[in-house]
Amino acid sequence: VVRALFLGFGHVGRRLAEILTRRERYPGLAALDLSVVAITTGRHGALANPSGIDLASALRAFDPEHLDHPDRTALASLDAVRGLDYDVLVEMTPLAIRARGEPAITHVREALLRGRHVVTCNKGPVAWAYEPLARLARERGCAFLFESTVMDGAPVFNLARHGLRGDTIERLAGILNSTTNVVLCALEEGLTLDEALARARALGVAEADPSDDLEGWDAAVKVAALGNVLLGGPLLPEEVERESLASVPPERVREAAARGRRIKMDCEAWREGGRLRGRVAARELPLDDPFALVAGTGSILRLTTALLGKLSLVEENPDLTTTAYGVLSDLLSLPGPPR
Ligand SMILES: NC(=O)c1ccc[n+]([C@@H]2O[C@H](COP(=O)([O-])OP(=O)(O)OC[C@H]3O[C@@H](n4cnc5c(N)ncnc54)[C@H](OP(=O)(O)O)[C@@H]3O)[C@@H](O)[C@H]2O)c1
């Protein structure tokens, strides 16, 4: 049995727990023998039980009327990472752009230092600290996996790791931010920016404060994560050129549509003059471009490789289950206990 420590029990953590409580519906998960020994949150306390927490009751335990769960503890996240006995840290805390990926980077580093595997859906550690964390994981013989950090659970990193042996990725491009894509589709339909943002919020993809999405920060963090892993890095989010969607007037979107063209936020990374470059920018595309066909919350990633040529991965209508699946696929990829 793999003993997991969950940090964060929000949208992704809860969906993961829901899937695990209904495991019999998913024959592909039969090989996953997982016991969750602790769950910590930011402001809602923690649960811990070395014999394994009952996940159905854990899903109710953070409601105000159910705070009397028998596994309740005052354990803080970093103390859990440093002190508890577990095989894999599952990092599901929020992306902290201003704090440049912390405290998630510290959580990941401390777990690896103890010889524990790490699975994360938080892109901060991959964007700001990939190289040192990957090196530490290699030194300690641990897995450091992060499939859900970009394109939810679509196998982006697994594709590169297992499906492109002997090839070299030279360039990547994609539509990687749901909020800006939903907003652009809505503007094209004639909605105002506020109405377009309300639609993105109603779909659950935009935060109350969507500025990180609109200003291209979320996309820049994804470009850095992809650049670090697929193009050999290093690329920091701050080094990715960003164009804000706020600088694209709604009239420009509608005027392009009237000419049979479509504006999309394009994310790119490529090697130039010995260094890695990244860019998030609005681009006008013909309607038959595969990027122009990516609607709503969908996403696309095109890899340009030395031998296979151009290969694209398209994701349609992802939801929380898609993200939780990425975490599950990482958990199923873990080697045996490293210690
Ligand atoms: N939602 C998606 O579709 C999606 C897709 C791909 C990747 N991701 C990434 O997955 C991660 C989780 O996303 P989410 O949507 O589940 O976020 P969320 O709903 O905001 O939940 C975050 C959880 O982390 C907890 N938390 C905050 N600080 C913590 C700390 N220091 N230690 C332990 N727990 C802490 C929060 O607890 P409190 O509520 O008590 O503060 C909450 O339980 C993020 O990094 C996000 O970027 C999400």
Side-chain angles (χ1 to χ4, degrees):
V1 54
V2 176
R3 294 163 305 162
L5 163 60
F6 281 13
L7 294 199
F9 206 55
H11 293 96
V12 179
R14 298 175 71 84
R15 181 57 57 90
L16 183 58
E18 283 161 13
I19 295 170
L20 289 168
T21 56
R22 301 191 298 250
R23 203 181 306 209
E24 66 291 344
R25 288 196 207 169
Y26 307 104
L29 297 181
L32 184 64
D33 190 6
L34 192 80
S35 167
V36 180
V37 294
I39 299 171
T40 69
T41 68
R43 297 155 300 163
H44 291 83
L47 304 178
N49 183 341
S51 315
I53 296 167
D54 171 57
L55 290 178
S57 66
L59 283 163
R60 295 186 300 269
F62 297 98
D63 297 341
E65 64 271 27
H66 288 102
L67 293 176
D68 54 348
H69 194 282
D71 299 337
R72 275 236 159 238
T73 152
L75 195 64
S77 295
L78 197 51
D79 295 333
V81 174
R82 286 179 173 154
L84 290 185
D85 205 8
Y86 58 93
D87 303 308
V88 57
L89 167 67
V90 185
E91 224 300 336
M92 299 179 284
T93 68
L95 171 68
I97 291 175
R98 244 58 62 194
R100 305 183 80 234
E102 290 290 5
I105 294 171
T106 300
H107 297 154
V108 172
R109 186 191 311 111
E110 293 291 317
L112 293 173
L113 280 169
R114 289 187 66 203
R116 266 54 175 193
H117 300 307
V118 174
V119 169
T120 180
C121 58
N122 182 336
K123 24 192 189 294
V126 191
W128 275 285
Y130 176 66
E131 200 278 327
L133 294 176
R135 182 166 14 95
L136 183 59
R138 277 194 302 278
E139 284 166 9
R140 304 289 159 132
C142 300
F144 171 40
L145 300 172
F146 36 78
E147 189 58 84
S148 334
T149 56
V150 181
M151 285 180 84
D152 312 292
V156 172
F157 298 107
N158 278 311
L159 170 71
R161 194 176 292 126
H162 303 293
L164 293 174
R165 287 188 209 288
D167 208 348
T168 306
I169 301 170
E170 296 173 335
R171 187 178 189 102
L172 56 88
I175 293 177
L176 302 173
N177 178 263
S178 306
T179 299
T180 48
N181 206 50
V182 168
V183 166
L184 282 168
C185 292
L187 292 177
E188 196 180 311
E189 288 172 31
L191 272 65
T192 64
L193 182 60
D194 283 344
E195 289 165 345
L197 278 170
R199 178 184 288 182
R201 278 195 203 97
L203 286 170
V205 293
E207 299 296 329
D209 173 8
S211 54
D212 284 341
D213 289 323
L214 295 186
E215 289 167 18
W217 272 113
D218 175 80
V221 172
K222 287 175 174 158
V223 169
L226 290 170
N228 286 332
V229 182
L230 303 186
L231 295 172
L235 183 63
L236 291 169
E238 298 85 345
E239 294 168 337
V240 175
E241 286 171 48
R242 281 178 299 110
E243 180 177 7
S244 169
L245 187 60
S247 70
V248 180
E251 308 77 66
R252 185 176 150 205
V253 177
R254 288 193 279 274
E255 185 266 328
R259 284 186 285 108
R261 313 267 294 178
R262 189 163 278 159
I263 293 181
K264 291 288 185 190
M265 289 310 272
D266 191 16
C267 301
E268 292 176 280
W270 70 99
R271 213 160 260 296
E272 187 177 297
R275 82 175 239 270
L276 198 52
R277 306 245 342 245
R279 179 168 60 207
V280 177
R283 273 212 304 145
E284 189 180 305
L285 303 166
L287 288 184
D288 59 357
D289 186 300
F291 278 44
L293 302 174
V294 175
T297 58
S299 54
I300 187 167
L301 179 69
R302 182 198 291 133
L303 304 177
T304 305
T305 81
L307 295 166
L308 187 70
K310 288 187 180 170
L311 178 71
S312 296
L313 192 64
V314 180
E315 183 187 43
E316 293 177 44
N317 292 323
D319 60 15
L320 281 173
T321 300
T322 322
T323 305
Y325 168 69
V327 176
L328 288 164
S329 108
D330 282 346
L331 289 169
L332 280 162
S333 308
L334 294 180
R339 289 157 297 125

